[in-house]
Amino acid sequence: MSGKFKAFEAYQQNSSYNLLPFRFITLDTHRYILTNIAGEYIVVSKNELQDFTRKQLTSQNPLYNELKSRHFLYDEESDIALELLAIKYRTKQSYLVNFTGLHIFVVTLRCDHSCPYCQVSRQSEDKTAFDMTGEMADKGIDILFQSPSHTLKVEFQGGESLLNFELIKYIVEQVETRNQAVGKDIEFVIATNLSPLTDEILDFCLEHRIFISTSLDGLEELHNKNRPKRANDSYARLISGVERVRSKLGPHSVSALMTTTRESLKYPREIVDEYLRQGFKSIFLRSISPYGFAVKTASSTGYQMKEWLDFYKEVLTYILEINRAGVYFVEEYTALILKKMLTPYPTGYVDLQSPSGIGISVIVFNYDSDVYASDESRMLAEMNDKTFRLGNLLTNSYQQIFTSDILLDTIYETMLEGMPGCTDCAFLPYCGSDPVYHHSTQGDTIGHKPTSGFCQKNMSIMKYLIKLMEDEPKVRQIFESWL
Ligand code: SF4
């Protein structure tokens, strides 16, 4: 036989199996990641990928059974393979059935801090013109109760939300009263810097089982620099607030978000150590959002996505070290992606949905009665870009808001399955579309994915997580423990 040709058997197909739809991408020089619509993934070598797609795998090959059990191929024995795949896909998309669960009330735009990266404009504490009124709150509650979702989350945001605590009290009491007739499962969250915390507020939170979400950016000096306050005591007030919340409401009643500024990039380990020292079991790493006020201060606080990704990897490496040493500690954004990779369930996280979760997973009632499709949409509005304004609490009905052209068009345009750049991407089952980000940074809701910071962030993280799990089984065990 000529050296140009392989043996005859090499060209024979094992026609007894068929391929199910899948996407693939290189993991490194010799491995490929394959994913399917149910979010299953498998890593194979180039030769294995070729054998698989040329139908040259034999049923004795262990890879054959692995591909079969994860719905990459089916044969005459797998008579319900397609139905199973459909069930898994349906489960992954089940969040769509519930429609809008998260309702954000921006009860005031006033704030006692002046953070340079804040995404909404800051107003001094005495300007009640920037408070939501009771009438607006009533209309928001009307809309809340028209949601088909049985599970609802009511989140209070600002500004500093506790500066309008009277309205928070009013909304919680009204919602609870009205809920007696319908019996929905309702959770309340106050997003606050904890600076205005009082015993009265704590008593109310205890009585109504309200969860606290706060922000801790790291060590005292870094936190105070990121979150300036007249008395330079943001950190001290936060730490004492966290202690008071825990002792009154319980150890798991408060969580914290961390916003990364250029200064933060210098302290990956120190920031995690601070979270551990303060008794947190997790951290949520956030890059600065390109909306609202943050754009004005980007030259002093901003950085390239590549720098943030290096920071993220350093933090995650350190967190894995901590977990290997037996201390449970989670990075929350990683955990959201892992939930999509390693479990059959969706996350409900707005930025990782297809179609986009704006409006259909979250709705925002702004302090001035305008209704926005997401928190980022109202931040954009503070820069006079009201593209994602869906209507107004005082003048529009539920139907008018949720069938507004901007919402319907955005949902139609943000199905990743038909989106340029995403449709063939192996990470599609784990990713989402962020129309507000792409509108803000690239001028249209779909965006150009090869130059999108959102795409760069998610693609890098997803590939990195799979590589970590493939290269070290212990890492996969740690990640599974996070879920
Ligand atoms: S945004 Fe990027 S990583 Fe996400 S699905 Fe689209 S191409 Fe893939």
Side-chain angles (χ1 to χ4, degrees):
M1 172 176 290
S2 158
K4 283 184 180 172
F5 296 99
K6 294 179 184 170
F8 174 69
E9 296 74 40
Y11 299 97
Q12 283 187 310
Q13 290 192 343
N14 176 3
S15 55
S16 62
Y17 74 83
N18 291 300
L19 308 187
L20 284 163
F22 72 94
R23 300 177 175 90
F24 66 100
I25 191 169
T26 52
L27 175 60
D28 48 31
T29 50
H30 57 286
R31 291 180 294 179
Y32 286 82
I33 301 165
L34 278 54
T35 66
N36 64 18
I37 59 168
E40 305 264 3
Y41 81 83
I42 189 165
V43 174
V44 296
S45 69
K46 186 174 182 183
N47 286 341
E48 287 171 332
L49 178 58
Q50 283 178 347
D51 288 348
F52 165 51
T53 52
R54 290 172 182 167
K55 296 191 178 179
Q56 289 169 345
L57 284 182
T58 65
S59 54
Q60 286 76 42
N61 189 327
L63 179 62
Y64 182 97
N65 286 322
E66 224 177 315
L67 288 163
K68 185 174 162 181
S69 67
R70 297 198 207 174
H71 310 289
F72 287 90
L73 68 82
Y74 70 99
D75 56 24
E76 64 270 14
E77 288 172 15
S78 35
D79 47 354
I80 57 163
L82 287 175
E83 285 83 350
L84 258 179
L85 189 61
I87 289 169
K88 287 192 170 182
Y89 183 65
R90 212 176 296 135
T91 306
K92 282 274 182 194
Q93 301 298 112
S94 58
Y95 62 91
L96 289 170
V97 177
N98 298 326
F99 208 59
T100 317
L102 174 58
H103 293 71
I104 296 177
F105 288 77
V106 181
V107 289
T108 182
L109 213 59
R110 291 180 289 141
C111 190
D112 55 350
H113 282 57
S114 52
C115 309
Y117 56 73
C118 180
Q119 291 103 353
V120 292
S121 60
R122 295 70 51 92
Q123 306 297 336
S124 68
E125 290 178 50
D126 56 359
K127 290 187 180 169
T128 46
F130 295 95
D131 285 5
M132 178 180 270
T133 65
E135 185 190 7
M136 295 172 198
D138 285 337
K139 298 283 185 190
I141 295 168
D142 286 345
I143 288 177
L144 169 85
F145 278 105
Q146 290 179 72
S147 170
S149 179
H150 178 71
T151 307
L152 299 171
K153 186 190 272 188
V154 178
E155 185 170 309
F156 300 105
Q157 291 233 11
E160 167 44 48
S161 59
L162 289 182
L163 293 179
N164 196 4
F165 178 62
E166 284 309 308
L167 189 71
I168 292 178
K169 261 170 81 177
Y170 175 77
I171 294 171
V172 170
E173 284 165 353
Q174 287 296 312
V175 167
E176 288 187 340
T177 304
R178 286 185 57 172
N179 195 38
Q180 285 169 7
V182 286
K184 295 204 182 223
D185 187 359
I186 303 181
E187 181 188 349
F188 297 101
V189 179
I190 298 178
T192 167
N193 61 37
L194 288 174
S195 174
L197 191 67
T198 63
D199 288 340
E200 185 210 347
I201 292 172
L202 281 171
D203 289 342
F204 186 81
C205 290
L206 179 65
E207 189 186 341
H208 297 273
R209 289 179 291 137
I210 298 175
F211 187 83
I212 301 294
S213 170
T214 192
S215 301
L216 172 61
D217 281 358
L219 299 165
E220 180 165 10
E221 198 183 333
L222 174 65
H223 183 92
N224 284 343
K225 192 170 178 185
N226 280 358
R227 297 177 176 267
K229 196 171 174 299
R230 238 175 264 145
N232 200 32
D233 60 351
S234 175
Y235 174 89
R237 295 179 79 101
L238 169 70
I239 298 306
S240 110
V242 167
E243 279 168 18
R244 289 170 71 194
V245 169
R246 284 197 185 124
S247 72
K248 185 85 183 183
L249 309 181
H252 307 298
S253 52
V254 55
S255 69
L257 295 165
M258 174 263 174
T259 303
T260 317
T261 59
R262 187 184 295 170
E263 185 68 12
S264 318
L265 298 175
K266 299 177 194 161
Y267 305 105
R269 289 181 171 237
E270 293 83 351
I271 291 169
V272 173
D273 286 340
E274 177 66 24
Y275 268 71
L276 286 167
R277 210 167 17 251
Q278 299 307 333
F280 287 103
K281 300 280 180 225
S282 69
I283 186 170
F284 196 129
L285 299 177
R286 291 192 307 180
S287 48
I288 288 184
S289 307
Y291 316 113
F293 232 82
V295 173
K296 283 189 182 171
T297 57
S299 58
S300 59
T301 57
Y303 40 80
Q304 298 297 312
M305 184 55 78
K306 162 88 174 63
E307 295 173 84
W308 186 85
L309 283 164
D310 289 344
F311 170 80
Y312 166 86
K313 287 176 186 175
E314 257 187 277
V315 173
L316 193 63
T317 302
Y318 186 45
I319 289 176
L320 286 170
E321 267 176 55
I322 290 165
N323 279 268
R324 279 193 203 93
V327 177
Y328 178 84
F329 191 80
V330 176
E331 198 290 299
E332 296 285 359
Y333 190 66
T334 307
L336 284 168
I337 293 172
L338 289 171
K339 187 172 180 192
K340 293 188 120 192
M341 283 180 174
L342 303 179
T343 82
Y345 306 111
T347 65
Y349 185 67
V350 175
D351 292 349
L352 295 176
Q353 290 186 18
S354 168
S356 162
I358 67 169
I360 60 176
S361 285
V362 60
I363 192 90
V364 178
F365 308 133
N366 209 11
Y367 71 98
D368 60 359
S369 77
D370 277 344
V371 179
Y372 288 95
S374 67
D375 208 23
E376 291 74 16
S377 309
R378 65 115 178 175
M379 293 168 187
L380 201 61
E382 293 302 326
M383 297 298 282
N384 296 319
D385 181 345
K386 299 194 174 183
T387 302
F388 297 95
R389 178 185 173 277
L390 303 183
N392 185 281
L393 285 171
L394 304 179
T395 53
N396 293 120
S397 66
Y398 180 92
Q399 281 74 13
Q400 287 169 331
I401 288 168
F402 284 96
T403 57
S404 62
D405 285 347
I406 180 63
L407 184 57
L408 296 184
D409 288 350
T410 305
I411 292 168
Y412 178 74
E413 286 169 0
T414 55
M415 288 286 296
L416 291 183
E417 288 76 0
M419 191 180 274
C422 301
T423 183
D424 296 322
C425 176
F427 297 121
L428 183 151
Y430 315 129
C431 203
S433 47
D434 191 335
V436 186
Y437 178 95
H438 288 110
H439 168 83
S440 175
T441 56
Q442 299 188 323
D444 73 84
T445 51
I446 295 170
H448 178 249
K449 297 301 153 62
T451 52
S452 151
F454 173 87
C455 177
Q456 186 189 3
K457 173 180 173 177
N458 285 328
M459 195 177 276
S460 298
I461 291 177
M462 289 164 188
K463 196 181 262 198
Y464 183 62
L465 296 180
I466 291 178
K467 188 164 167 45
L468 284 175
M469 289 190 281
E470 285 300 306
D471 292 349
E472 193 189 329
K474 176 72 185 164
V475 170
R476 178 155 179 150
Q477 283 174 18
I478 292 169
F479 283 165
E480 283 172 346
S481 78
W482 292 5
L483 307 174

